[in-house]
Amino acid sequence: MRHLNYTLTPSRINNVKGKARPYKLADGGGLYVQVMPSGIKTWRYRYTLGGAPGDVRIGHYPEIGVADARDRHFELRQLVERGLDCLALLLSLGF
């Protein structure tokens, strides 16, 4: 069960446009959508493990919808809470 106050909605994500530089739309708990100048929107999860920052790409929006991104975020967050580097784990699995 998730206990975060997520803020993004599909309509808000659909209505954003690319700007001159990439920017982020925060959803909560380190989950965000990165919007590129071309308008491509990518779900990402930013975390800190042992004082070192990490950033994992979850997938492109709308291929990965809001609910799916939040489910994947929850799974990745559990790995980090157990002390596992989710980026290194995903790379070792070939993702």
Side-chain angles (χ1 to χ4, degrees), residues 18-32:
K19 297 181 180 178
R21 298 180 59 181
Y23 65 98
K24 301 175 185 178
L25 295 174
D27 193 34
L31 181 64
Y32 65 95

Side-chain angles (χ1 to χ4, degrees), residues 3-95:
H3 297 288
L4 292 171
N5 292 323
Y6 292 110
T7 60
L8 293 178
T9 61
S11 61
R12 182 169 176 213
I13 298 170
N14 288 333
N15 290 330
V16 298
K17 305 293 181 208
K19 297 181 180 178
R21 298 180 59 181
Y23 65 98
K24 301 175 185 178
L25 295 174
D27 193 34
L31 181 64
Y32 65 95
V33 173
Q34 182 178 39
V35 183
M36 301 303 288
S38 63
I40 294 174
K41 300 161 190 152
T42 306
W43 288 104
R44 300 188 72 89
Y45 171 46
R46 183 160 177 80
Y47 62 94
T48 303
L49 183 64
D55 197 349
V56 176
R57 184 178 72 84
I58 295 173
H60 293 294
Y61 179 85
E63 288 84 10
I64 304 293
V66 174
D68 289 337
R70 289 175 179 165
D71 289 342
R72 292 182 188 188
H73 169 248
F74 181 72
E75 294 167 1
L76 294 171
R77 211 173 142 94
Q78 287 180 321
L79 292 174
V80 172
E81 288 175 0
R82 285 188 249 149
L84 300 173
D85 185 357
C86 51
L87 179 59
L89 183 63
L90 290 173
L91 289 175
S92 70
L93 295 174
F95 287 96

